[in-house]
Amino acid sequence: MTEMNMVEAINFTLKQEMEADDDILLLGEDIGKNGGVFRTTETLVETFGERRVVDTPLAESAIVGTAVGMAIRGLKPVAEIQFLGFIYETMDQISAQAARVRFRSAGSLHVPLVIRAPYSGGVKTPELHSDSLEALFMHSAGLKVIMPSTPRDAKGLLCAAINDPDPVLFFEPLKLYRGVREEVEEERFTIEIGKANVVKEGDDITLISWGAAMAETKKAVQLLEDSNFSIELIDLRTIVPLDEEIIVHSVEKTGRCVIVHEAVKSAGVGAEISAIINEKALFYLSAPVLRVTGFDSPYPVATVENDWIPNVNRIVNQIKQVWELSLN
Amino acid sequence: MIKEFKLPDIGEGLQEAEVVNWFVRNGDSINENDAIAEIQTDKAVVEITSPYGGVVHQLGGEEGESVKVGKTLISVETAIENKENEESKESIVNKEVSQPSASKPRVKAAPSVRKLARELGVPIHEVTPTGRGGKVIASDIRSFTTTVEEEKSKDPEPPKGLQSEPIKGLRKKIFENMTLSMSEIPQCSGMDEVDVSRLSEFRLSLKSETQSGSLTHLPFIVKAVALAIKQNPRFNGKVDAENMLFRYQENIHIGIATATEDGLLVPVVKDADKMTVEEIAFAIEDLSARARSKKLKPYELSGSTFTISNTGKEGGFYATPIINPPEVAILGVHAIKQKPVVKNEEIRIGCVMGLSITFDHRVIDGDHCGQFMRALKEYLERPELFAFKG
């Protein structure tokens, strides 16, 4: 076991997997000599050379397009998009190509591609550097979407993603890159894609979150635990496939649910979860499912971003609201 | 083939109605449009006719039982026609899904509370809600079962000398309406007395002029109220709480609360301001007689814009009438007593009547009430104004 932050865990995993499998290669802007803007690929070019750690031109669609071709022909590319907000350039390569190849070829071709991209706000980045866009990919059938919130989860899930036969989007919360350190196993291990983590069991309210929003959500749980609320906290870890079983089981137990995510509210992943609860656990509900989310606007300028991102107060208020709604 | 006649909504969003009287029995032959039953609606007894001719196959309930709107009132064996088509339609509609019952009022409750009610076998629409906004909450379901258990465990023999009777039919409607009124409307009552000595003389002097059976004070009061409303149209308004609107109503339709064997009915004198006192007298006589024999039509019991409650000789001198929603005021008129009246620094014996008005204090202030009562008293104290202003 070694203590790592998320950047270190990702770097460690990439190195470990590349050592284990020569077909794995990395593509991205400034990922070679520069080691990536967040140092997630630091030293890898020295270890594996420029044929396996490819510094690309500043052209996101080319990065992903090339990676899709490589994956179809048997390599295991891990492409980096410098910030998730730049992924719009690659929507065609991802949603119209990578996501469909297996379906279109009736299973004879696969796209074992991983696309890594940092996202999330709270670090005062300029425009298009903070957007949470997971819902776009949830809506494109054929993709898997992973959003870890801890260094250990990042390692286990990235290992699973690289070895998955289908395209996986791996979104890394910028704010948590260096915010948390924890003990992580050095040996290879995987965390099953599509399996949520019940961070804490409780009886009163199910609180569901993932990725960057987990930080504030955990603070809210701490506050409410002190006032005797028994909260069950679920870290989804994977947005697609969604762990419906854990969600439904938990709501059946608590009868109340609040979802916290940083992305905008309308047609967000929270809406999907709410609909699933409606379909599968309606008769266990004591109150409507509530959401704490970003607002339906473009991600704002740095000076007001802390008011835009779901914060502890907003989360606590909604939890109290769902509690009150259920009592009277 | 057997055709079912489902109880229609015969007025004002009726949800269920009691069968007072069956005119037919199983096996009777009937023609189309024959009267088959008398039905007690919220307000009146209505005769129902059959849309089909044939042989009565089954009745939808016993006399005294309630039938829900949309449920079969009667099924009639008619001549065979279009049998296959009808049957296949029926089977699609009835067998695939059970029909939603339009009859039960919507209950506000969380899905988990509904589930609890189902598990405990509690009829959720019978549970008294205590949650915010009239919502049934889990504890209501639990206390309902406790109450039922307690009642079951009680000695089945009722205490001697005491009888109970179900609150149903018209009494149930009054029960609900009064609860609604008192829970939703902040009500305030004002009281005053009016010297009707001259009105009484005036009335006696006109008695021989009219064909009306007994020209009482009431037609004069109705006319006076209608005229006072004309001067104070706020009293003819209604509250639309949903849209936060106060609506003034053009027509002045005065409801007359009338005691019947089963309880209070409110037949309506339509456009009272446009009628003469004599016309009002005839209308009241007709309406009250038919109210007592339960022969009023639903439209004759609805649409009032203001209600007068006449407590009569035995009703005391003042009262606090309760507003008939969605109206905004109700006038109580009471016994006429001989009392000393002071006028021009002289005391004489006068015929004095107590007046009580209850108004919706959200939309009517004490000042409005004072103006209305002053106008009303003016007419009742100076009956010549009926001729002059009416």
Short mmCIF file of all heavy atoms in Angstrom, two decimals, chain B residues 19-30 33-39 45-50 56 59 61-63 73-74 295:
data_model
loop_
_atom_site.label_atom_id
_atom_site.label_comp_id
_atom_site.label_asym_id
_atom_site.label_seq_id
_atom_site.Cartn_x
_atom_site.Cartn_y
_atom_site.Cartn_z
N VAL B 19 -79.84 5.60 -4.01
CA VAL B 19 -81.10 5.16 -4.64
C VAL B 19 -82.18 5.28 -3.58
O VAL B 19 -82.16 4.58 -2.56
CB VAL B 19 -81.00 3.71 -5.14
CG1 VAL B 19 -82.33 3.28 -5.74
CG2 VAL B 19 -79.88 3.56 -6.14
N VAL B 20 -83.11 6.19 -3.79
CA VAL B 20 -84.19 6.39 -2.81
C VAL B 20 -85.27 5.36 -3.04
O VAL B 20 -85.83 4.77 -2.11
CB VAL B 20 -84.77 7.82 -2.95
CG1 VAL B 20 -85.90 8.03 -1.97
CG2 VAL B 20 -83.67 8.85 -2.73
N ASN B 21 -85.54 5.08 -4.29
CA ASN B 21 -86.72 4.30 -4.61
C ASN B 21 -86.55 3.64 -5.97
O ASN B 21 -86.22 4.30 -6.94
CB ASN B 21 -87.89 5.32 -4.68
CG ASN B 21 -89.21 4.65 -4.54
OD1 ASN B 21 -89.27 3.44 -4.31
ND2 ASN B 21 -90.26 5.41 -4.69
N TRP B 22 -86.74 2.33 -6.04
CA TRP B 22 -86.76 1.68 -7.35
C TRP B 22 -88.21 1.61 -7.84
O TRP B 22 -89.11 1.24 -7.07
CB TRP B 22 -86.22 0.25 -7.26
CG TRP B 22 -84.73 0.15 -7.23
CD1 TRP B 22 -83.95 -0.24 -6.19
CD2 TRP B 22 -83.83 0.43 -8.31
NE1 TRP B 22 -82.63 -0.21 -6.52
CE2 TRP B 22 -82.52 0.20 -7.83
CE3 TRP B 22 -83.98 0.88 -9.62
CZ2 TRP B 22 -81.39 0.38 -8.62
CZ3 TRP B 22 -82.87 1.05 -10.40
CH2 TRP B 22 -81.58 0.81 -9.91
N PHE B 23 -88.45 1.94 -9.06
CA PHE B 23 -89.79 1.78 -9.64
C PHE B 23 -89.92 0.43 -10.32
O PHE B 23 -91.00 0.03 -10.73
CB PHE B 23 -90.08 2.88 -10.67
CG PHE B 23 -90.07 4.26 -10.09
CD1 PHE B 23 -89.48 5.32 -10.77
CD2 PHE B 23 -90.67 4.52 -8.85
CE1 PHE B 23 -89.48 6.60 -10.25
CE2 PHE B 23 -90.66 5.80 -8.32
CZ PHE B 23 -90.06 6.84 -9.02
N VAL B 24 -88.78 -0.25 -10.53
CA VAL B 24 -88.82 -1.52 -11.28
C VAL B 24 -88.12 -2.60 -10.46
O VAL B 24 -87.39 -2.32 -9.52
CB VAL B 24 -88.11 -1.37 -12.65
CG1 VAL B 24 -88.86 -0.40 -13.53
CG2 VAL B 24 -86.67 -0.90 -12.46
N ARG B 25 -88.41 -3.84 -10.80
CA ARG B 25 -87.78 -4.99 -10.15
C ARG B 25 -87.17 -5.87 -11.25
O ARG B 25 -87.52 -5.74 -12.42
CB ARG B 25 -88.83 -5.82 -9.38
CG ARG B 25 -89.47 -5.08 -8.22
CD ARG B 25 -88.55 -5.11 -6.98
NE ARG B 25 -89.07 -4.24 -5.94
CZ ARG B 25 -88.55 -3.05 -5.61
NH1 ARG B 25 -87.48 -2.60 -6.24
NH2 ARG B 25 -89.07 -2.31 -4.66
N ASN B 26 -86.30 -6.78 -10.85
CA ASN B 26 -85.73 -7.73 -11.83
C ASN B 26 -86.85 -8.46 -12.57
O ASN B 26 -87.82 -8.91 -11.95
CB ASN B 26 -84.87 -8.78 -11.11
CG ASN B 26 -83.58 -8.16 -10.62
OD1 ASN B 26 -83.24 -7.04 -10.99
ND2 ASN B 26 -82.86 -8.89 -9.78
N GLY B 27 -86.70 -8.55 -13.85
CA GLY B 27 -87.69 -9.29 -14.65
C GLY B 27 -88.80 -8.42 -15.20
O GLY B 27 -89.55 -8.84 -16.07
N ASP B 28 -88.91 -7.17 -14.70
CA ASP B 28 -89.95 -6.27 -15.22
C ASP B 28 -89.62 -5.89 -16.66
O ASP B 28 -88.45 -5.73 -17.02
CB ASP B 28 -89.99 -4.97 -14.40
CG ASP B 28 -90.65 -5.16 -13.04
OD1 ASP B 28 -91.06 -6.31 -12.78
OD2 ASP B 28 -90.72 -4.19 -12.27
N SER B 29 -90.68 -5.74 -17.45
CA SER B 29 -90.46 -5.21 -18.81
C SER B 29 -90.56 -3.69 -18.76
O SER B 29 -91.46 -3.15 -18.13
CB SER B 29 -91.53 -5.74 -19.76
OG SER B 29 -91.30 -7.11 -19.97
N ILE B 30 -89.64 -3.05 -19.41
CA ILE B 30 -89.72 -1.58 -19.43
C ILE B 30 -89.53 -1.08 -20.86
O ILE B 30 -88.96 -1.78 -21.70
CB ILE B 30 -88.64 -0.92 -18.52
CG1 ILE B 30 -87.24 -1.42 -18.90
CG2 ILE B 30 -88.93 -1.16 -17.07
CD1 ILE B 30 -86.14 -0.66 -18.22
N ASN B 33 -87.14 5.25 -21.90
CA ASN B 33 -87.59 6.47 -21.22
C ASN B 33 -88.57 6.23 -20.07
O ASN B 33 -89.12 7.19 -19.53
CB ASN B 33 -88.21 7.49 -22.20
CG ASN B 33 -87.16 8.03 -23.16
OD1 ASN B 33 -85.99 8.11 -22.78
ND2 ASN B 33 -87.55 8.36 -24.37
N ASP B 34 -88.80 4.98 -19.69
CA ASP B 34 -89.61 4.74 -18.49
C ASP B 34 -88.80 5.15 -17.27
O ASP B 34 -87.57 4.96 -17.23
CB ASP B 34 -89.93 3.23 -18.36
CG ASP B 34 -91.14 2.86 -19.19
OD1 ASP B 34 -91.71 3.75 -19.85
OD2 ASP B 34 -91.50 1.66 -19.18
N ALA B 35 -89.51 5.69 -16.28
CA ALA B 35 -88.81 6.03 -15.03
C ALA B 35 -88.41 4.73 -14.34
O ALA B 35 -89.21 3.81 -14.23
CB ALA B 35 -89.73 6.84 -14.14
N ILE B 36 -87.18 4.65 -13.90
CA ILE B 36 -86.74 3.42 -13.24
C ILE B 36 -86.41 3.63 -11.76
O ILE B 36 -86.54 2.72 -10.96
CB ILE B 36 -85.51 2.79 -13.95
CG1 ILE B 36 -84.42 3.85 -14.17
CG2 ILE B 36 -85.91 2.13 -15.26
CD1 ILE B 36 -83.13 3.28 -14.68
N ALA B 37 -85.99 4.82 -11.40
CA ALA B 37 -85.61 5.02 -10.00
C ALA B 37 -85.63 6.48 -9.62
O ALA B 37 -85.55 7.37 -10.48
CB ALA B 37 -84.22 4.46 -9.75
N GLU B 38 -85.74 6.70 -8.32
CA GLU B 38 -85.53 8.05 -7.78
C GLU B 38 -84.17 8.05 -7.11
O GLU B 38 -83.84 7.15 -6.33
CB GLU B 38 -86.59 8.38 -6.73
CG GLU B 38 -87.84 8.96 -7.32
CD GLU B 38 -88.80 9.44 -6.22
OE1 GLU B 38 -88.82 8.83 -5.13
OE2 GLU B 38 -89.51 10.40 -6.46
N ILE B 39 -83.39 9.08 -7.42
CA ILE B 39 -82.02 9.15 -6.94
C ILE B 39 -81.84 10.41 -6.11
O ILE B 39 -82.26 11.49 -6.53
CB ILE B 39 -81.04 9.22 -8.15
CG1 ILE B 39 -81.16 7.98 -9.01
CG2 ILE B 39 -79.62 9.45 -7.72
CD1 ILE B 39 -80.54 6.76 -8.41
N VAL B 45 -83.96 15.10 -5.04
CA VAL B 45 -84.32 13.78 -5.54
C VAL B 45 -84.64 13.91 -7.02
O VAL B 45 -85.42 14.76 -7.42
CB VAL B 45 -85.54 13.22 -4.78
CG1 VAL B 45 -85.97 11.91 -5.39
CG2 VAL B 45 -85.17 13.02 -3.33
N VAL B 46 -84.00 13.09 -7.83
CA VAL B 46 -84.17 13.19 -9.28
C VAL B 46 -84.67 11.87 -9.81
O VAL B 46 -84.23 10.81 -9.38
CB VAL B 46 -82.80 13.53 -9.95
CG1 VAL B 46 -82.96 13.59 -11.46
CG2 VAL B 46 -82.26 14.84 -9.41
N GLU B 47 -85.61 11.96 -10.74
CA GLU B 47 -86.14 10.75 -11.35
C GLU B 47 -85.24 10.36 -12.52
O GLU B 47 -84.90 11.21 -13.34
CB GLU B 47 -87.54 11.05 -11.86
CG GLU B 47 -88.50 9.91 -11.69
CD GLU B 47 -89.91 10.36 -12.04
OE1 GLU B 47 -90.18 10.56 -13.25
OE2 GLU B 47 -90.71 10.51 -11.12
N ILE B 48 -84.86 9.09 -12.58
CA ILE B 48 -83.99 8.64 -13.66
C ILE B 48 -84.80 7.76 -14.60
O ILE B 48 -85.54 6.88 -14.15
CB ILE B 48 -82.80 7.82 -13.09
CG1 ILE B 48 -81.98 8.66 -12.14
CG2 ILE B 48 -81.96 7.25 -14.20
CD1 ILE B 48 -80.97 9.56 -12.77
N THR B 49 -84.62 8.00 -15.89
CA THR B 49 -85.33 7.17 -16.87
C THR B 49 -84.34 6.27 -17.59
O THR B 49 -83.15 6.56 -17.65
CB THR B 49 -86.06 8.05 -17.91
OG1 THR B 49 -85.09 8.92 -18.50
CG2 THR B 49 -87.15 8.88 -17.26
N SER B 50 -84.87 5.18 -18.13
CA SER B 50 -84.00 4.21 -18.77
C SER B 50 -83.77 4.58 -20.24
O SER B 50 -84.71 4.90 -20.94
CB SER B 50 -84.62 2.82 -18.71
OG SER B 50 -83.84 1.94 -19.50
N VAL B 56 -85.71 -5.93 -17.28
CA VAL B 56 -84.72 -5.55 -16.27
C VAL B 56 -83.92 -6.79 -15.86
O VAL B 56 -84.48 -7.79 -15.44
CB VAL B 56 -85.40 -4.92 -15.03
CG1 VAL B 56 -84.36 -4.64 -13.95
CG2 VAL B 56 -86.12 -3.65 -15.43
N LEU B 59 -80.45 -4.80 -10.91
CA LEU B 59 -80.40 -3.45 -10.37
C LEU B 59 -79.03 -3.21 -9.74
O LEU B 59 -78.42 -4.13 -9.19
CB LEU B 59 -81.49 -3.28 -9.30
CG LEU B 59 -82.92 -3.60 -9.75
CD1 LEU B 59 -83.90 -3.38 -8.60
CD2 LEU B 59 -83.33 -2.73 -10.94
N GLY B 61 -78.13 -1.61 -7.13
CA GLY B 61 -78.00 -1.41 -5.69
C GLY B 61 -79.36 -1.50 -5.03
O GLY B 61 -80.40 -1.41 -5.71
N GLU B 62 -79.35 -1.69 -3.73
CA GLU B 62 -80.60 -1.72 -2.98
C GLU B 62 -81.07 -0.30 -2.73
O GLU B 62 -80.27 0.64 -2.80
CB GLU B 62 -80.38 -2.40 -1.62
CG GLU B 62 -79.91 -3.83 -1.70
CD GLU B 62 -80.98 -4.77 -2.19
OE1 GLU B 62 -82.14 -4.60 -1.75
OE2 GLU B 62 -80.69 -5.63 -3.04
N GLU B 63 -82.34 -0.16 -2.37
CA GLU B 63 -82.82 1.15 -1.96
C GLU B 63 -82.05 1.56 -0.71
O GLU B 63 -81.81 0.73 0.18
CB GLU B 63 -84.33 1.09 -1.66
CG GLU B 63 -85.14 1.08 -2.95
CD GLU B 63 -86.65 0.88 -2.70
OE1 GLU B 63 -87.07 0.89 -1.55
OE2 GLU B 63 -87.36 0.70 -3.71
N LEU B 73 -76.10 1.39 -13.00
CA LEU B 73 -77.30 1.63 -12.20
C LEU B 73 -78.30 0.50 -12.47
O LEU B 73 -78.92 -0.03 -11.55
CB LEU B 73 -77.90 2.98 -12.59
CG LEU B 73 -79.19 3.35 -11.87
CD1 LEU B 73 -78.92 3.54 -10.38
CD2 LEU B 73 -79.77 4.64 -12.44
N ILE B 74 -78.38 0.13 -13.72
CA ILE B 74 -79.32 -0.93 -14.07
C ILE B 74 -78.82 -1.61 -15.34
O ILE B 74 -78.20 -0.97 -16.19
CB ILE B 74 -80.75 -0.33 -14.30
CG1 ILE B 74 -81.79 -1.44 -14.38
CG2 ILE B 74 -80.79 0.54 -15.53
CD1 ILE B 74 -83.21 -0.90 -14.34
N LYS B 295 -88.53 17.58 -4.45
CA LYS B 295 -88.80 17.56 -5.89
C LYS B 295 -88.06 18.67 -6.63
O LYS B 295 -88.39 18.96 -7.77
CB LYS B 295 -90.31 17.70 -6.14
CG LYS B 295 -91.15 16.56 -5.61
CD LYS B 295 -90.92 15.30 -6.41
CE LYS B 295 -91.84 14.17 -5.92
NZ LYS B 295 -91.35 12.86 -6.32
#
